[in-house]
Amino acid sequence: MNVMISRYTAEIGTATLTAGLGLAAVIGALEFGIGWGDAGPESGTFPFYMGLLVVAASIGTMVQATVGRKGLQSVFLHREEAMRVASFFLPMVAFVAVSLLLGLYVATALYLAFVMWAQGKYRPVVSIASGVAAAVIFYVLLEVAFQVPLLKGPLEAALGIY
Protein backbone atom coordinates (compact mmCIF):
# COMPACT_ATOMS: atom_id res chain seq x y z
CA MET A 1 0.00 0.00 0.00
CA ASN A 2 1.51 3.27 -1.11
CA VAL A 3 0.28 6.03 1.18
CA MET A 4 0.73 9.58 -0.07
CA ILE A 5 -0.72 12.82 1.24
CA SER A 6 -0.98 15.70 -1.18
CA ARG A 7 -0.01 19.22 -0.24
CA TYR A 8 -3.66 20.26 -0.72
CA THR A 9 -4.80 17.68 1.85
CA ALA A 10 -2.13 18.84 4.27
CA GLU A 11 -3.12 22.50 3.82
CA ILE A 12 -6.82 21.78 4.38
CA GLY A 13 -6.11 19.48 7.33
CA THR A 14 -3.83 21.99 9.03
CA ALA A 15 -6.26 24.86 8.42
CA THR A 16 -9.10 22.78 9.87
CA LEU A 17 -7.03 21.96 12.94
CA THR A 18 -6.01 25.57 13.54
CA ALA A 19 -9.59 26.75 12.97
CA GLY A 20 -10.71 24.27 15.63
CA LEU A 21 -8.09 25.55 18.06
CA GLY A 22 -9.10 29.15 17.36
CA LEU A 23 -12.75 28.25 17.90
CA ALA A 24 -11.86 26.58 21.20
CA ALA A 25 -10.10 29.79 22.27
CA VAL A 26 -13.15 31.86 21.30
CA ILE A 27 -15.54 29.60 23.21
CA GLY A 28 -13.25 29.47 26.24
CA ALA A 29 -12.84 33.24 26.25
CA LEU A 30 -16.60 33.72 26.33
CA GLU A 31 -16.66 32.04 29.74
CA PHE A 32 -14.48 34.83 31.14
CA GLY A 33 -16.26 37.69 29.48
CA ILE A 34 -15.20 39.73 26.48
CA GLY A 35 -16.79 43.05 27.27
CA TRP A 36 -15.67 46.08 29.17
CA GLY A 37 -15.82 45.88 32.96
CA ASP A 38 -15.27 48.36 35.78
CA ALA A 39 -11.52 47.81 35.64
CA GLY A 40 -11.22 47.76 31.86
CA PRO A 41 -11.45 44.91 29.38
CA GLU A 42 -12.56 41.59 30.87
CA SER A 43 -10.08 38.73 30.99
CA GLY A 44 -11.47 36.92 27.96
CA THR A 45 -11.22 39.85 25.57
CA PHE A 46 -7.68 39.28 24.27
CA PRO A 47 -8.02 35.47 23.86
CA PHE A 48 -11.39 36.00 22.15
CA TYR A 49 -10.00 38.30 19.49
CA MET A 50 -6.86 36.20 19.03
CA GLY A 51 -9.08 33.14 18.55
CA LEU A 52 -11.14 35.03 15.96
CA LEU A 53 -7.93 36.01 14.19
CA VAL A 54 -6.77 32.36 14.09
CA VAL A 55 -10.17 31.24 12.74
CA ALA A 56 -10.12 33.98 10.09
CA ALA A 57 -6.57 33.09 9.02
CA SER A 58 -7.53 29.42 8.85
CA ILE A 59 -10.52 30.18 6.67
CA GLY A 60 -8.25 32.31 4.47
CA THR A 61 -5.85 29.38 4.15
CA MET A 62 -8.73 27.07 3.20
CA VAL A 63 -9.94 29.49 0.53
CA GLN A 64 -6.42 30.02 -0.80
CA ALA A 65 -5.78 26.26 -0.93
CA THR A 66 -9.10 25.59 -2.64
CA VAL A 67 -8.55 28.32 -5.25
CA GLY A 68 -5.01 27.12 -5.94
CA ARG A 69 -5.83 23.42 -5.63
CA LYS A 70 -4.36 22.57 -9.02
CA GLY A 71 -0.91 23.73 -7.92
CA LEU A 72 -1.08 21.83 -4.64
CA GLN A 73 -1.31 18.29 -6.01
CA SER A 74 2.34 17.48 -5.36
CA VAL A 75 3.09 14.87 -2.74
CA PHE A 76 3.52 16.31 0.73
CA LEU A 77 4.22 13.11 2.62
CA HIS A 78 5.22 9.62 1.45
CA ARG A 79 4.71 6.44 3.45
CA GLU A 80 8.32 6.33 4.59
CA GLU A 81 8.18 9.91 5.80
CA ALA A 82 4.85 9.24 7.54
CA MET A 83 6.45 6.31 9.36
CA ARG A 84 9.27 8.56 10.57
CA VAL A 85 6.78 11.13 11.82
CA ALA A 86 4.76 8.41 13.55
CA SER A 87 7.91 7.06 15.21
CA PHE A 88 8.19 10.38 17.06
CA PHE A 89 4.49 11.19 17.43
CA LEU A 90 3.29 7.87 18.88
CA PRO A 91 5.80 7.82 21.76
CA MET A 92 4.72 11.39 22.62
CA VAL A 93 1.07 10.29 22.76
CA ALA A 94 2.11 7.40 24.99
CA PHE A 95 4.07 9.85 27.16
CA VAL A 96 0.94 11.93 27.74
CA ALA A 97 -1.15 8.85 28.58
CA VAL A 98 1.49 7.44 30.95
CA SER A 99 1.90 10.87 32.58
CA LEU A 100 -1.77 10.88 33.48
CA LEU A 101 -1.61 7.34 34.87
CA LEU A 102 1.81 7.17 36.51
CA GLY A 103 2.91 10.78 36.89
CA LEU A 104 5.26 13.02 34.97
CA TYR A 105 8.55 11.76 36.39
CA VAL A 106 7.88 8.07 35.70
CA ALA A 107 6.62 8.96 32.22
CA THR A 108 9.74 11.02 31.57
CA ALA A 109 12.02 8.16 32.58
CA LEU A 110 10.10 5.66 30.45
CA TYR A 111 9.87 7.98 27.44
CA LEU A 112 13.56 8.88 27.41
CA ALA A 113 14.64 5.28 27.96
CA PHE A 114 12.40 4.03 25.15
CA VAL A 115 13.32 6.75 22.65
CA MET A 116 17.04 6.39 23.34
CA TRP A 117 16.80 2.63 22.90
CA ALA A 118 14.38 2.46 19.95
CA GLN A 119 15.38 5.52 17.95
CA GLY A 120 18.87 6.32 19.18
CA LYS A 121 19.98 2.67 19.20
CA TYR A 122 21.62 3.05 22.62
CA ARG A 123 22.16 -0.01 24.78
CA PRO A 124 19.24 -0.73 27.15
CA VAL A 125 21.32 -0.14 30.29
CA VAL A 126 22.44 3.29 29.04
CA SER A 127 18.92 4.18 27.95
CA ILE A 128 17.36 3.21 31.28
CA ALA A 129 20.07 4.93 33.30
CA SER A 130 19.69 8.12 31.27
CA GLY A 131 15.90 8.11 31.60
CA VAL A 132 16.03 7.61 35.36
CA ALA A 133 18.80 10.19 35.76
CA ALA A 134 16.83 12.78 33.79
CA ALA A 135 13.69 12.16 35.86
CA VAL A 136 15.66 12.51 39.11
CA ILE A 137 17.36 15.71 37.90
CA PHE A 138 13.99 17.17 36.84
CA TYR A 139 12.54 16.28 40.25
CA VAL A 140 15.42 17.90 42.16
CA LEU A 141 15.39 21.03 40.00
CA LEU A 142 11.66 21.53 39.74
CA GLU A 143 10.25 20.16 43.00
CA VAL A 144 13.12 20.87 45.39
CA ALA A 145 15.01 23.86 43.99
CA PHE A 146 12.20 25.82 42.34
CA GLN A 147 9.33 24.34 44.38
CA VAL A 148 7.17 23.77 41.30
CA PRO A 149 4.96 20.76 41.96
CA LEU A 150 4.26 18.63 38.90
CA LEU A 151 1.89 15.74 38.26
CA LYS A 152 2.82 12.76 40.42
CA GLY A 153 1.60 9.18 40.32
CA PRO A 154 1.42 6.09 42.50
CA LEU A 155 5.20 5.51 42.58
CA GLU A 156 5.89 8.89 44.14
CA ALA A 157 3.07 8.28 46.62
CA ALA A 158 4.54 4.88 47.54
CA LEU A 159 7.95 6.49 48.06
CA GLY A 160 6.43 9.28 50.16
CA ILE A 161 7.39 11.97 47.64
CA TYR A 162 3.93 13.36 47.31
Side-chain angles (χ1 to χ4, degrees):
M1 181 163 96
N2 195 5
V3 177
M4 290 186 291
I5 298 173
S6 70
R7 182 155 175 230
Y8 172 76
T9 303
E11 293 273 347
I12 294 297
T14 302
T16 302
L17 178 68
T18 56
L21 293 173
L23 188 59
V26 166
I27 292 169
L30 290 173
E31 294 178 16
F32 296 102
I34 60 167
W36 196 265
D38 294 337
E42 293 178 317
S43 59
T45 303
F46 182 74
F48 176 79
Y49 288 110
M50 289 298 102
L52 283 180
L53 183 65
V54 169
V55 170
S58 299
I59 291 170
T61 299
M62 287 180 195
V63 169
Q64 185 179 16
T66 303
V67 169
R69 183 176 188 163
K70 201 172 217 171
L72 296 175
Q73 294 306 314
S74 61
V75 176
F76 176 75
L77 192 65
H78 290 284
R79 177 178 167 75
E80 299 80 29
E81 295 164 334
M83 295 301 289
R84 273 189 251 138
V85 169
S87 74
F88 283 94
F89 180 72
L90 294 178
M92 287 303 294
V93 170
F95 171 75
V96 171
V98 172
S99 293
L100 295 173
L101 296 172
L102 301 177
L104 206 55
Y105 298 111
V106 172
T108 297
L110 292 173
Y111 173 77
L112 287 175
F114 175 76
V115 169
M116 286 181 68
W117 171 73
Q119 295 171 353
K121 307 296 184 216
Y122 287 90
R123 294 180 307 173
V125 68
V126 172
S127 301
I128 292 168
S130 298
V132 170
V136 168
I137 289 169
F138 288 152
Y139 175 79
V140 170
L141 281 174
L142 295 170
E143 300 275 343
V144 178
F146 295 117
Q147 297 180 355
V148 177
L150 296 180
L151 183 64
K152 294 177 195 66
L155 178 64
E156 290 90 354
L159 293 173
I161 312 174
Y162 214 73

